[in-house]
Amino acid sequence: MTDADIIAMITELVISLDEEKAITAVQNALDEGYDPLEILQKGVLAGLRVIGDKFGSGEYFLPELMMGADLSEACTNKIMARIPEQANASRGVFLLGAVQGDLHDIGKSLVLRQISLAGYKVYDLGINVPSMTFIDKAIELNADIIGLSAFLDATRPYYSEVINYLRDMGLRNKYKVIIGGVASSAELSESIGADGWAPDAPSAVRLCDKLMGH
Amino acid sequence: MLSMMDIQKRAETGPVMKSKDFDLAFARKIRELIPKYNIKYDAEQLIVDDATADEIFQAGIELLAGVGLYNTDTQRVIQFSIEELQQVAATARTGPDIVMFGRGKDEVCYQHRTGKDKSSPVLAAGAHGGGTVPIRQEWFSQFVQSFVQEESNKALAITGGVPSVDGIPIKVGTPSEVYCALWENKAMLEVLRRVGRPGMHLGLHSSVTSIGGFLALVHEGFRGRHNIQLSAHVMPELKVDWSRLTLALIVKEWDFVPWVSGMSVEGALCRGPEETAVGMIASMLGQLAYSNAIPVQIWNNTVRGEWSRSQTLWANGAATRAAERNVRLPIGGMVTAEEQFRGTEASLYWEAAASVLYTACGFAYCWSTGWTGLEARFVGEILSATAGMDEQEANKLAKAIYARWVVEKEHATAPKDFPELYDLETVKPTQDWLSTYNRVKDELARMGVPYK
């Protein structure tokens, strides 16, 4: 097998969501001295991008995104241990939760998985998240982006509550805040001073990349 | 129905599981069930046969028994056995199949109905709002009146709320929720009095989601057993929390009527209409296990917020038929097109296709029929015209209208809001909107809708 074959095999195992074999292949490649960064970028992350594309085309669904995220985390943990610290950075740290009073989580889960697949370190704060919890967690985890999801009209004011807390605590410039969910719109995002609005999971990834300058 | 204390015990002692793992268990189980029961979407046959309807129902039982309901507060699974769920279905099937709402001359009866029944589904066309559709305080009363003044409309099964009152935004779980809901209810009751239908059912209150808000409405006398349904339903996919279960118990103890909603989302955990139909049945059964439901609504959309699709017609129709045959409760749902088509000629074709199909599948009531009262009239006329239509004839007609919708939506005009469609002084449709209604109605008559 050539180097390219080994990397291509890892990519294929990631795409086919064969967690056990993918982890073994990554471990073998590392043990044989392959460049960890190459295994990560050309093997695992390339596979994850295909998973994302397959979701976009309707071939894969949320469970595949979840399995892909789990698989990539397991592979990445092995790879990261061999990568020098300066190369070990994720694309950013992203927190996501459904705002207070909101119990809808399917759309939120999709966004979380897609952003995870794009190479961000993600944290799921769950549903019905008190506004201050977003702030506390952002500080604790040194987040880059806070994602707020809302489905109901009556939960929409909690978007701005989080932003107002950040402003009043002198933290507004420290974090990017993006909004999504049925209750949101581009106009709303602008009116409450959010950093952007994402109507769906792929656009959330694009928005995060844009905000992070990737 | 199990006792709520039993449900609570299960929610506190069932298997501990992360939400993500529950989702994966759900997906694995539903993927196993579709081939097992040989359930297949057929764009040519949008009305499923009896055997398929029953298979979908059985798959729904097996799904819920296989994965349970997930309590997001305890992160434990509320488990049920197949036998318990069969008993839940049997209790529903052999219990009352009728529920009354409203008062006096405004009383309305929701009763179990099959697709073959000649009686029309009840038109309970609410003033549907929500999402990003603006319903403004300035014209809220006229908006509600447009529905209430339609004689064929027997109830407002949902009442969309305004986003703010006097500049105060509605914020769930805060005093503003109560403040704004009280304003809305006062306004709605004033409209009912004005049009001479003071006892009309007002259905699901969409602005109030908390127990405190509900209590405030009841205490003020705006809402009672006769005119409200409380939302204590399972969230997609198969998730509940303490607030919903607590509300379900209050609703039962007060002999109110819960809003039961068999919901599922296509494109997320469910891959296609087959899985979505089974998901809706499992969701409904979960609610029947803990609540005193009689009317049940069936609903699915895609994760991208679309629902005016052939797959949705099939899935909603299949779940309706599965529920109608196996729990024999009044089953209902909505026929409104997506928000971006509101107030357009194109949207009327979707509303027509869905009305024809769901009437033939066994809708007992129809609760969301577009964005104005004129559309309630439009849908009511179709429900009435096609009730009792031969199944294959209904299938053919629904497909033909759906095909027309697919063409029309490609060049639909920009959406219009209520003030562009109704004269706010007279609360009558504008000449333009009325002409659109008449034009589409004429076209539907040519296509085979046997208007009375």
Side-chain angles (χ1 to χ4, degrees), chain A residues 55-56 61-64 66-67 70 100-101 103-107 109-110 113 127 152-158 161 182-185, chain B residues 19-20 23-24 27 31 72 130-132 163 169-172 174 207 209 235-237 239 241 244 265 267-271 303-304:
Chain A
F55 176 76
F61 296 85
L62 180 55
E64 282 76 16
M66 290 170 153
M67 288 184 261
D70 283 356
Q100 187 158 344
L103 306 174
H104 297 79
D105 76 344
I106 283 189
S109 293
L110 275 173
R113 303 305 158 204
I127 54 175
L152 303 170
D153 292 357
T155 58
R156 195 161 26 202
Y158 288 103
E161 184 168 279
V182 173
S184 66
S185 65
Chain B
S19 178
K20 184 185 75 175
D23 289 345
L24 284 172
R31 289 178 183 195
T72 56
T132 54
I170 297 180
K171 191 172 176 183
V172 69
T174 71
S207 294
T209 57
M235 304 295 291
E237 302 290 350
K239 289 179 180 168
D241 67 354
R244 290 184 182 253
V265 177
L269 296 178
C270 295
R271 293 176 298 180
V303 74
R304 293 175 178 81

Short mmCIF file of all heavy atoms in Angstrom, two decimals, chain A residues 55-56 61-64 66-67 70 100-101 103-107 109-110 113 127 152-158 161 182-185, chain B residues 19-20 23-24 27 31 72 130-132 163 169-172 174 207 209 235-237 239 241 244 265 267-271 303-304:
data_model
loop_
_atom_site.label_atom_id
_atom_site.label_comp_id
_atom_site.label_asym_id
_atom_site.label_seq_id
_atom_site.Cartn_x
_atom_site.Cartn_y
_atom_site.Cartn_z
N PHE A 55 -25.00 14.46 3.76
CA PHE A 55 -26.17 14.96 4.48
C PHE A 55 -26.88 16.02 3.65
O PHE A 55 -28.10 16.01 3.52
CB PHE A 55 -25.76 15.55 5.84
CG PHE A 55 -26.93 16.15 6.57
CD1 PHE A 55 -27.85 15.33 7.21
CD2 PHE A 55 -27.13 17.51 6.59
CE1 PHE A 55 -28.95 15.88 7.84
CE2 PHE A 55 -28.23 18.07 7.23
CZ PHE A 55 -29.14 17.24 7.86
N GLY A 56 -26.09 16.90 3.05
CA GLY A 56 -26.68 17.96 2.24
C GLY A 56 -27.46 17.43 1.06
O GLY A 56 -28.46 18.00 0.64
N PHE A 61 -28.32 11.20 7.13
CA PHE A 61 -29.26 11.89 8.01
C PHE A 61 -28.59 12.19 9.35
O PHE A 61 -27.40 11.92 9.52
CB PHE A 61 -30.53 11.05 8.16
CG PHE A 61 -31.26 10.91 6.87
CD1 PHE A 61 -30.92 9.91 5.96
CD2 PHE A 61 -32.25 11.80 6.51
CE1 PHE A 61 -31.57 9.81 4.74
CE2 PHE A 61 -32.90 11.71 5.29
CZ PHE A 61 -32.55 10.70 4.39
N LEU A 62 -29.38 12.72 10.27
CA LEU A 62 -28.81 13.11 11.56
C LEU A 62 -28.05 11.98 12.25
O LEU A 62 -26.96 12.22 12.80
CB LEU A 62 -29.93 13.65 12.47
CG LEU A 62 -29.53 14.11 13.87
CD1 LEU A 62 -28.41 15.14 13.84
CD2 LEU A 62 -30.74 14.68 14.60
N PRO A 63 -28.57 10.75 12.26
CA PRO A 63 -27.79 9.69 12.93
C PRO A 63 -26.40 9.52 12.33
O PRO A 63 -25.44 9.27 13.06
CB PRO A 63 -28.64 8.44 12.70
CG PRO A 63 -30.02 8.96 12.55
CD PRO A 63 -29.87 10.26 11.82
N GLU A 64 -26.27 9.67 11.01
CA GLU A 64 -24.96 9.54 10.38
C GLU A 64 -24.04 10.68 10.82
O GLU A 64 -22.84 10.47 11.03
CB GLU A 64 -25.09 9.53 8.85
CG GLU A 64 -25.55 8.21 8.26
CD GLU A 64 -27.03 7.97 8.44
OE1 GLU A 64 -27.76 8.95 8.75
OE2 GLU A 64 -27.47 6.83 8.27
N MET A 66 -24.24 12.15 13.67
CA MET A 66 -23.85 11.84 15.06
C MET A 66 -22.74 10.78 15.09
O MET A 66 -21.76 10.92 15.83
CB MET A 66 -25.06 11.29 15.82
CG MET A 66 -26.12 12.33 16.08
SD MET A 66 -27.58 11.50 16.71
CE MET A 66 -28.28 12.81 17.66
N MET A 67 -22.92 9.76 14.28
CA MET A 67 -21.92 8.69 14.26
C MET A 67 -20.59 9.23 13.73
O MET A 67 -19.52 8.90 14.24
CB MET A 67 -22.40 7.52 13.41
CG MET A 67 -23.52 6.73 14.08
SD MET A 67 -23.99 5.28 13.12
CE MET A 67 -25.42 5.86 12.26
N ASP A 70 -18.88 11.21 16.48
CA ASP A 70 -18.28 10.32 17.49
C ASP A 70 -17.00 9.69 16.96
O ASP A 70 -15.97 9.63 17.65
CB ASP A 70 -19.27 9.21 17.86
CG ASP A 70 -20.36 9.71 18.79
OD1 ASP A 70 -20.28 10.89 19.18
OD2 ASP A 70 -21.27 8.94 19.12
N GLN A 100 -33.88 29.71 26.84
CA GLN A 100 -34.80 29.41 27.94
C GLN A 100 -36.24 29.27 27.43
O GLN A 100 -36.71 30.07 26.63
CB GLN A 100 -34.74 30.52 28.99
CG GLN A 100 -35.55 30.17 30.23
CD GLN A 100 -35.09 30.96 31.44
OE1 GLN A 100 -34.02 31.53 31.46
NE2 GLN A 100 -35.92 30.96 32.46
N GLY A 101 -36.91 28.23 27.91
CA GLY A 101 -38.30 28.01 27.54
C GLY A 101 -38.46 27.21 26.27
O GLY A 101 -39.57 26.83 25.90
N LEU A 103 -37.85 23.89 23.97
CA LEU A 103 -37.57 22.47 24.19
C LEU A 103 -37.25 21.75 22.89
O LEU A 103 -37.15 20.53 22.86
CB LEU A 103 -38.78 21.81 24.85
CG LEU A 103 -39.27 22.48 26.14
CD1 LEU A 103 -40.55 21.84 26.62
CD2 LEU A 103 -38.21 22.42 27.21
N HIS A 104 -37.13 22.49 21.79
CA HIS A 104 -36.91 21.86 20.49
C HIS A 104 -35.42 21.60 20.28
O HIS A 104 -34.62 22.51 20.40
CB HIS A 104 -37.44 22.75 19.38
CG HIS A 104 -38.91 22.98 19.48
ND1 HIS A 104 -39.45 23.87 20.36
CD2 HIS A 104 -39.95 22.40 18.83
CE1 HIS A 104 -40.78 23.85 20.23
NE2 HIS A 104 -41.11 22.96 19.31
N ASP A 105 -35.07 20.37 19.93
CA ASP A 105 -33.64 20.12 19.83
C ASP A 105 -33.18 19.47 18.54
O ASP A 105 -32.00 19.26 18.35
CB ASP A 105 -33.15 19.32 21.04
CG ASP A 105 -33.50 17.85 21.00
OD1 ASP A 105 -34.37 17.47 20.20
OD2 ASP A 105 -32.91 17.09 21.76
N ILE A 106 -34.09 19.14 17.63
CA ILE A 106 -33.63 18.44 16.43
C ILE A 106 -32.78 19.35 15.55
O ILE A 106 -31.69 18.98 15.12
CB ILE A 106 -34.83 17.86 15.65
CG1 ILE A 106 -35.29 16.60 16.37
CG2 ILE A 106 -34.42 17.53 14.22
CD1 ILE A 106 -36.30 15.79 15.65
N GLY A 107 -33.26 20.55 15.29
CA GLY A 107 -32.49 21.48 14.46
C GLY A 107 -31.17 21.81 15.13
O GLY A 107 -30.12 21.89 14.47
N SER A 109 -29.46 19.93 17.14
CA SER A 109 -28.55 18.78 17.02
C SER A 109 -27.88 18.76 15.65
O SER A 109 -26.70 18.45 15.53
CB SER A 109 -29.31 17.47 17.23
OG SER A 109 -29.75 17.40 18.55
N LEU A 110 -28.67 19.07 14.64
CA LEU A 110 -28.10 19.08 13.28
C LEU A 110 -26.98 20.10 13.15
O LEU A 110 -25.93 19.80 12.60
CB LEU A 110 -29.20 19.42 12.26
CG LEU A 110 -30.05 18.28 11.77
CD1 LEU A 110 -31.18 18.82 10.91
CD2 LEU A 110 -29.20 17.31 10.96
N ARG A 113 -23.84 18.95 15.00
CA ARG A 113 -23.07 17.89 14.32
C ARG A 113 -22.33 18.44 13.12
O ARG A 113 -21.19 18.10 12.85
CB ARG A 113 -23.99 16.75 13.88
CG ARG A 113 -24.79 16.09 14.98
CD ARG A 113 -23.95 15.58 16.12
NE ARG A 113 -24.80 15.48 17.30
CZ ARG A 113 -24.38 15.52 18.55
NH1 ARG A 113 -23.10 15.68 18.81
NH2 ARG A 113 -25.22 15.42 19.55
N ILE A 127 -31.30 21.98 25.97
CA ILE A 127 -32.50 22.78 25.71
C ILE A 127 -32.86 23.58 26.97
O ILE A 127 -32.37 23.28 28.06
CB ILE A 127 -33.68 21.88 25.30
CG1 ILE A 127 -33.90 20.79 26.36
CG2 ILE A 127 -33.43 21.26 23.94
CD1 ILE A 127 -35.11 19.93 26.10
N LEU A 152 -39.97 28.90 19.31
CA LEU A 152 -41.24 29.56 19.64
C LEU A 152 -41.10 31.08 19.64
O LEU A 152 -40.08 31.61 20.06
CB LEU A 152 -41.72 29.11 21.02
CG LEU A 152 -41.91 27.61 21.23
CD1 LEU A 152 -42.15 27.31 22.69
CD2 LEU A 152 -43.08 27.12 20.38
N ASP A 153 -42.17 31.74 19.19
CA ASP A 153 -42.18 33.21 19.20
C ASP A 153 -41.87 33.75 20.59
O ASP A 153 -41.11 34.70 20.74
CB ASP A 153 -43.57 33.72 18.81
CG ASP A 153 -43.88 33.43 17.37
OD1 ASP A 153 -43.00 32.88 16.67
OD2 ASP A 153 -45.01 33.71 16.94
N ALA A 154 -42.48 33.10 21.58
CA ALA A 154 -42.37 33.65 22.93
C ALA A 154 -41.01 33.38 23.57
O ALA A 154 -40.74 33.86 24.67
CB ALA A 154 -43.48 33.07 23.81
N THR A 155 -40.18 32.60 22.89
CA THR A 155 -38.82 32.41 23.42
C THR A 155 -37.81 33.31 22.71
O THR A 155 -36.66 33.40 23.11
CB THR A 155 -38.35 30.93 23.29
OG1 THR A 155 -38.40 30.54 21.92
CG2 THR A 155 -39.23 30.01 24.10
N ARG A 156 -38.29 33.98 21.67
CA ARG A 156 -37.40 34.85 20.89
C ARG A 156 -36.71 35.94 21.74
O ARG A 156 -35.54 36.25 21.50
CB ARG A 156 -38.23 35.49 19.77
CG ARG A 156 -37.42 36.11 18.70
CD ARG A 156 -38.21 36.32 17.42
NE ARG A 156 -39.64 36.47 17.58
CZ ARG A 156 -40.53 36.25 16.61
NH1 ARG A 156 -40.13 35.87 15.43
NH2 ARG A 156 -41.81 36.40 16.82
N PRO A 157 -37.41 36.52 22.73
CA PRO A 157 -36.73 37.57 23.52
C PRO A 157 -35.47 37.10 24.23
O PRO A 157 -34.63 37.91 24.62
CB PRO A 157 -37.80 38.00 24.53
CG PRO A 157 -39.10 37.70 23.85
CD PRO A 157 -38.83 36.42 23.08
N TYR A 158 -35.33 35.78 24.39
CA TYR A 158 -34.14 35.30 25.08
C TYR A 158 -32.88 35.40 24.20
O TYR A 158 -31.77 35.37 24.71
CB TYR A 158 -34.34 33.86 25.57
CG TYR A 158 -35.28 33.83 26.76
CD1 TYR A 158 -36.60 33.43 26.61
CD2 TYR A 158 -34.85 34.25 28.01
CE1 TYR A 158 -37.47 33.43 27.69
CE2 TYR A 158 -35.71 34.26 29.10
CZ TYR A 158 -37.02 33.85 28.93
OH TYR A 158 -37.88 33.87 30.00
N GLU A 161 -31.73 38.67 25.27
CA GLU A 161 -31.33 38.68 26.69
C GLU A 161 -29.87 38.26 26.83
O GLU A 161 -29.11 38.86 27.59
CB GLU A 161 -32.23 37.75 27.51
CG GLU A 161 -31.90 37.81 28.99
CD GLU A 161 -32.95 37.14 29.86
OE1 GLU A 161 -33.99 37.76 30.14
OE2 GLU A 161 -32.72 35.97 30.25
N VAL A 182 -36.60 28.37 14.02
CA VAL A 182 -37.79 28.88 13.33
C VAL A 182 -38.14 30.31 13.73
O VAL A 182 -38.65 31.09 12.94
CB VAL A 182 -38.99 27.94 13.60
CG1 VAL A 182 -40.27 28.50 13.05
CG2 VAL A 182 -38.71 26.57 12.98
N ALA A 183 -37.84 30.66 14.98
CA ALA A 183 -38.23 31.99 15.46
C ALA A 183 -37.27 33.09 15.00
O ALA A 183 -37.44 34.24 15.38
CB ALA A 183 -38.30 31.98 16.99
N SER A 184 -36.29 32.74 14.20
CA SER A 184 -35.26 33.74 13.88
C SER A 184 -35.32 34.18 12.42
O SER A 184 -35.97 33.54 11.59
CB SER A 184 -33.88 33.14 14.16
OG SER A 184 -33.61 32.07 13.29
N SER A 185 -34.63 35.25 12.15
CA SER A 185 -34.53 35.76 10.77
C SER A 185 -33.32 36.67 10.69
O SER A 185 -32.77 37.09 11.73
CB SER A 185 -35.79 36.55 10.41
OG SER A 185 -35.87 37.71 11.22
N SER B 19 -28.98 12.24 25.64
CA SER B 19 -29.95 12.53 24.59
C SER B 19 -29.46 12.00 23.23
O SER B 19 -30.23 11.43 22.45
CB SER B 19 -30.16 14.04 24.53
OG SER B 19 -31.04 14.39 23.51
N LYS B 20 -28.20 12.17 22.97
CA LYS B 20 -27.63 11.73 21.69
C LYS B 20 -27.76 10.21 21.52
O LYS B 20 -28.09 9.72 20.44
CB LYS B 20 -26.15 12.12 21.65
CG LYS B 20 -25.45 11.83 20.37
CD LYS B 20 -23.97 12.15 20.48
CE LYS B 20 -23.28 11.07 21.30
NZ LYS B 20 -21.82 11.23 21.36
N ASP B 23 -31.27 9.36 20.72
CA ASP B 23 -31.56 9.65 19.30
C ASP B 23 -31.04 8.52 18.40
O ASP B 23 -31.72 8.11 17.45
CB ASP B 23 -30.90 10.97 18.88
CG ASP B 23 -31.58 12.18 19.50
OD1 ASP B 23 -32.71 12.02 20.02
OD2 ASP B 23 -30.99 13.27 19.48
N LEU B 24 -29.85 8.06 18.70
CA LEU B 24 -29.29 6.98 17.87
C LEU B 24 -30.09 5.69 18.04
O LEU B 24 -30.31 4.96 17.06
CB LEU B 24 -27.83 6.74 18.23
CG LEU B 24 -26.85 7.80 17.68
CD1 LEU B 24 -25.46 7.59 18.25
CD2 LEU B 24 -26.81 7.76 16.16
N ALA B 27 -33.13 6.04 15.93
CA ALA B 27 -32.84 5.89 14.50
C ALA B 27 -32.60 4.43 14.14
O ALA B 27 -33.10 3.94 13.12
CB ALA B 27 -31.62 6.73 14.12
N ARG B 31 -35.18 2.27 11.67
CA ARG B 31 -34.62 1.73 10.42
C ARG B 31 -34.83 0.22 10.33
O ARG B 31 -34.91 -0.33 9.24
CB ARG B 31 -33.13 2.07 10.33
CG ARG B 31 -32.89 3.54 10.07
CD ARG B 31 -31.44 3.91 10.04
NE ARG B 31 -31.30 5.36 9.86
CZ ARG B 31 -30.19 5.96 9.51
NH1 ARG B 31 -29.09 5.25 9.28
NH2 ARG B 31 -30.13 7.27 9.36
N THR B 72 -36.16 14.65 29.25
CA THR B 72 -34.96 15.47 29.12
C THR B 72 -34.49 16.04 30.45
O THR B 72 -33.34 16.46 30.57
CB THR B 72 -35.20 16.64 28.13
OG1 THR B 72 -36.33 17.39 28.59
CG2 THR B 72 -35.46 16.13 26.73
N GLY B 130 -47.25 32.48 14.06
CA GLY B 130 -46.00 31.85 14.47
C GLY B 130 -44.92 31.95 13.45
O GLY B 130 -45.11 32.52 12.36
N GLY B 131 -43.77 31.38 13.81
CA GLY B 131 -42.61 31.47 12.94
C GLY B 131 -42.23 32.93 12.72
O GLY B 131 -42.19 33.71 13.66
N THR B 132 -42.01 33.26 11.48
CA THR B 132 -41.62 34.64 11.20
C THR B 132 -42.78 35.44 10.62
O THR B 132 -42.60 36.54 10.12
CB THR B 132 -40.44 34.67 10.22
OG1 THR B 132 -40.81 33.91 9.06
CG2 THR B 132 -39.20 34.06 10.83
N PRO B 163 -46.49 39.14 18.63
CA PRO B 163 -45.16 39.04 19.26
C PRO B 163 -44.99 39.98 20.44
O PRO B 163 -44.15 39.76 21.30
CB PRO B 163 -44.20 39.40 18.13
CG PRO B 163 -45.02 40.18 17.17
CD PRO B 163 -46.43 39.71 17.28
N PRO B 169 -42.55 42.72 24.49
CA PRO B 169 -42.50 41.42 23.83
C PRO B 169 -42.94 40.28 24.74
O PRO B 169 -42.70 40.33 25.96
CB PRO B 169 -41.02 41.26 23.46
CG PRO B 169 -40.28 42.20 24.33
CD PRO B 169 -41.22 43.28 24.76
N ILE B 170 -43.61 39.31 24.15
CA ILE B 170 -43.98 38.12 24.91
C ILE B 170 -42.72 37.31 25.17
O ILE B 170 -42.00 36.97 24.24
CB ILE B 170 -44.99 37.25 24.14
CG1 ILE B 170 -46.27 38.01 23.91
CG2 ILE B 170 -45.27 35.95 24.89
CD1 ILE B 170 -47.32 37.24 23.15
N LYS B 171 -42.48 37.01 26.42
CA LYS B 171 -41.27 36.28 26.80
C LYS B 171 -41.69 35.13 27.70
O LYS B 171 -42.18 35.35 28.81
CB LYS B 171 -40.32 37.23 27.52
CG LYS B 171 -38.94 36.72 27.74
CD LYS B 171 -38.09 37.88 28.28
CE LYS B 171 -36.71 37.44 28.63
NZ LYS B 171 -35.94 38.56 29.21
N VAL B 172 -41.51 33.93 27.19
CA VAL B 172 -42.03 32.76 27.89
C VAL B 172 -41.43 32.64 29.30
O VAL B 172 -40.26 32.93 29.52
CB VAL B 172 -41.75 31.47 27.06
CG1 VAL B 172 -40.27 31.15 27.01
CG2 VAL B 172 -42.51 30.28 27.60
N THR B 174 -42.14 34.46 31.86
CA THR B 174 -42.02 35.73 32.59
C THR B 174 -43.42 36.36 32.69
O THR B 174 -44.36 35.93 32.01
CB THR B 174 -41.10 36.72 31.85
OG1 THR B 174 -41.79 37.17 30.66
CG2 THR B 174 -39.78 36.09 31.47
N SER B 207 -49.63 31.47 22.67
CA SER B 207 -48.75 32.42 23.37
C SER B 207 -48.41 31.95 24.77
O SER B 207 -47.45 32.44 25.36
CB SER B 207 -49.42 33.79 23.46
OG SER B 207 -49.55 34.34 22.19
N THR B 209 -47.33 28.97 27.25
CA THR B 209 -46.79 27.61 27.28
C THR B 209 -46.57 27.15 28.73
O THR B 209 -46.39 25.98 28.97
CB THR B 209 -45.44 27.52 26.55
OG1 THR B 209 -44.55 28.47 27.14
CG2 THR B 209 -45.59 27.84 25.08
N MET B 235 -42.41 15.99 22.26
CA MET B 235 -41.64 16.70 21.24
C MET B 235 -40.93 15.68 20.34
O MET B 235 -40.54 14.61 20.81
CB MET B 235 -40.58 17.58 21.90
CG MET B 235 -41.13 18.56 22.92
SD MET B 235 -42.19 19.78 22.17
CE MET B 235 -40.98 20.70 21.24
N PRO B 236 -40.72 16.05 19.08
CA PRO B 236 -39.97 15.11 18.23
C PRO B 236 -38.52 15.02 18.68
O PRO B 236 -37.94 16.05 19.01
CB PRO B 236 -40.02 15.77 16.84
CG PRO B 236 -41.06 16.83 16.92
CD PRO B 236 -41.12 17.24 18.35
N GLU B 237 -37.89 13.83 18.67
CA GLU B 237 -38.57 12.56 18.52
C GLU B 237 -38.67 11.90 19.89
O GLU B 237 -37.64 11.55 20.49
CB GLU B 237 -37.78 11.66 17.58
CG GLU B 237 -37.55 12.22 16.18
CD GLU B 237 -38.80 12.29 15.31
OE1 GLU B 237 -39.82 11.73 15.71
OE2 GLU B 237 -38.75 12.93 14.25
N LYS B 239 -39.66 12.91 22.99
CA LYS B 239 -39.06 13.54 24.17
C LYS B 239 -40.10 14.33 24.97
O LYS B 239 -40.94 15.02 24.39
CB LYS B 239 -37.90 14.45 23.76
CG LYS B 239 -36.70 13.63 23.28
CD LYS B 239 -35.54 14.46 22.84
CE LYS B 239 -34.42 13.53 22.40
NZ LYS B 239 -33.35 14.21 21.70
N ASP B 241 -40.69 16.37 29.11
CA ASP B 241 -40.00 16.88 30.30
C ASP B 241 -41.03 17.03 31.42
O ASP B 241 -42.21 16.80 31.23
CB ASP B 241 -39.28 18.20 29.99
CG ASP B 241 -40.24 19.34 29.69
OD1 ASP B 241 -41.46 19.09 29.61
OD2 ASP B 241 -39.78 20.48 29.56
N ARG B 244 -44.17 19.35 30.87
CA ARG B 244 -45.25 18.79 30.04
C ARG B 244 -46.05 17.75 30.80
O ARG B 244 -47.27 17.70 30.72
CB ARG B 244 -44.67 18.18 28.78
CG ARG B 244 -44.18 19.28 27.93
CD ARG B 244 -43.66 18.95 26.61
NE ARG B 244 -43.25 20.24 26.11
CZ ARG B 244 -43.88 20.92 25.16
NH1 ARG B 244 -44.91 20.41 24.56
NH2 ARG B 244 -43.48 22.09 24.79
N VAL B 265 -40.29 14.49 12.43
CA VAL B 265 -39.57 15.36 11.50
C VAL B 265 -38.82 14.51 10.48
O VAL B 265 -38.05 13.63 10.87
CB VAL B 265 -38.58 16.27 12.25
CG1 VAL B 265 -37.78 17.13 11.28
CG2 VAL B 265 -39.32 17.15 13.25
N GLY B 267 -36.03 13.86 7.66
CA GLY B 267 -34.73 14.40 7.25
C GLY B 267 -33.74 14.56 8.39
O GLY B 267 -32.60 14.94 8.17
N ALA B 268 -34.20 14.28 9.62
CA ALA B 268 -33.28 14.35 10.75
C ALA B 268 -33.04 12.93 11.24
O ALA B 268 -32.23 12.20 10.68
CB ALA B 268 -33.85 15.24 11.84
N LEU B 269 -33.78 12.49 12.26
CA LEU B 269 -33.65 11.10 12.69
C LEU B 269 -34.44 10.17 11.78
O LEU B 269 -34.08 9.01 11.58
CB LEU B 269 -34.12 10.94 14.14
CG LEU B 269 -33.31 11.70 15.19
CD1 LEU B 269 -33.90 11.51 16.57
CD2 LEU B 269 -31.85 11.24 15.17
N CYS B 270 -35.54 10.67 11.26
CA CYS B 270 -36.35 9.89 10.31
C CYS B 270 -35.89 10.24 8.89
O CYS B 270 -35.81 11.41 8.53
CB CYS B 270 -37.83 10.22 10.45
SG CYS B 270 -38.52 9.74 12.03
N ARG B 271 -35.63 9.23 8.10
CA ARG B 271 -35.06 9.49 6.78
C ARG B 271 -36.10 9.81 5.72
O ARG B 271 -35.84 10.56 4.80
CB ARG B 271 -34.24 8.28 6.33
CG ARG B 271 -32.99 8.07 7.16
CD ARG B 271 -32.27 6.83 6.76
NE ARG B 271 -33.09 5.65 6.97
CZ ARG B 271 -32.70 4.41 6.68
NH1 ARG B 271 -31.51 4.21 6.16
NH2 ARG B 271 -33.48 3.38 6.92
N VAL B 303 -36.86 18.70 8.15
CA VAL B 303 -35.95 19.45 9.01
C VAL B 303 -35.65 20.82 8.41
O VAL B 303 -35.21 21.72 9.11
CB VAL B 303 -34.68 18.62 9.24
CG1 VAL B 303 -33.80 18.59 8.01
CG2 VAL B 303 -33.92 19.11 10.46
N ARG B 304 -35.91 20.99 7.14
CA ARG B 304 -35.70 22.30 6.51
C ARG B 304 -36.98 23.15 6.56
O ARG B 304 -37.06 24.19 5.92
CB ARG B 304 -35.25 22.11 5.07
CG ARG B 304 -33.86 21.50 4.97
CD ARG B 304 -33.43 21.18 3.56
NE ARG B 304 -32.08 20.65 3.54
CZ ARG B 304 -31.77 19.38 3.81
NH1 ARG B 304 -32.73 18.51 4.10
NH2 ARG B 304 -30.52 18.97 3.81
#
